[in-house]
C-alpha cells in the first residue's frame, strides 16, 4: 500500500506534472501501472504520474520490518536525512492480480 500523501515531492514537481511535463523515461515505467488495484481512482490524482518518474520512483526506497520503522526513521533523520518518510506498508501476500494499492 502506497500512501500518495506521504510521498515527498520535489518543489514544483506537482505543477510540472499537471502541465504534462514528465521525464522522457516516465512512459516506460508507467507500463507497470497494471499492478495497481485502484488504478481508476489513483490515476485521477495529479501526483500519480510522479510515482512512475525514474528520477523519483523509488531509487531510495527501502522496506524495513514494522518493528524497526520508528528507530530507522529516527536514525536517518539524526544522520541528516530530514525528508525520510514512511510512504506505505507491505501487507501479507495475496492472490490478487494487482498487488499494489495507491491511497489518495
Amino acid at each position: 500500500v502506497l500512501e500518495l500523501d506521504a510521498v515527498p515531492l520535489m518543489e514544483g514537481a506537482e505543477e510540472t506534472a499537471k502541465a504534462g511535463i514528465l521525464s522522457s523515461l516516465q512512459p516506460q515505467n508507467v507500463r507497470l501501472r497494471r499492478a495497481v488495484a485502484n488504478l481508476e481512482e489513483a490515476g485521477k490524482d495529479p501526483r500519480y504520474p510522479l510515482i512512475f518518474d525514474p528520477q523519483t520512483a523509488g531509487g531510495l526506497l527501502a522496506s524495513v520490518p514494522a518493528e524497526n520503522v520508528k528507530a530507522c526513521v529516527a536514525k536517518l533523520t539524526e544522520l541528516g536525512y530530514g525528508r525520510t518518510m514512511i510512504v506505505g506498508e507491505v501487507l501479507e501476500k495475496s492472490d490478487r492480480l494487482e498487488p499494489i494499492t495507491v491511497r489518495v
Side-chain angles (χ1 to χ4, degrees):
V1 176
L2 177 69
E3 301 286 347
L4 194 53
D5 286 341
V7 175
L9 301 175
M10 294 176 67
E11 186 176 329
E14 187 173 346
E15 293 76 17
T16 303
K18 283 180 185 176
I21 302 168
L22 299 162
S23 167
S24 61
L25 295 176
Q26 192 264 1
Q28 292 174 342
N29 286 353
V30 85
R31 294 176 302 167
L32 300 173
R33 70 185 178 277
R34 66 183 176 271
V36 177
N38 61 327
L39 180 58
E40 188 173 325
E41 174 193 13
K44 292 177 184 174
D45 192 292
R47 300 167 296 172
Y48 177 77
L50 294 170
I51 64 174
F52 296 99
D53 188 294
Q55 299 172 85
T56 59
L60 299 174
L61 187 64
S63 178
V64 177
E67 63 271 12
N68 299 338
V69 168
K70 287 183 181 178
C72 180
V73 169
K75 187 63 176 180
L76 287 168
T77 302
E78 176 187 318
L79 291 170
Y81 299 98
R83 293 192 71 189
T84 300
M85 303 291 283
I86 299 168
V87 297
E89 63 180 320
V90 177
L91 303 178
E92 290 291 324
K93 184 178 178 180
S94 76
D95 293 331
R96 293 186 336 181
L97 291 175
E98 300 90 4
I100 301 169
T101 298
V102 179
R103 288 195 186 131
V104 292

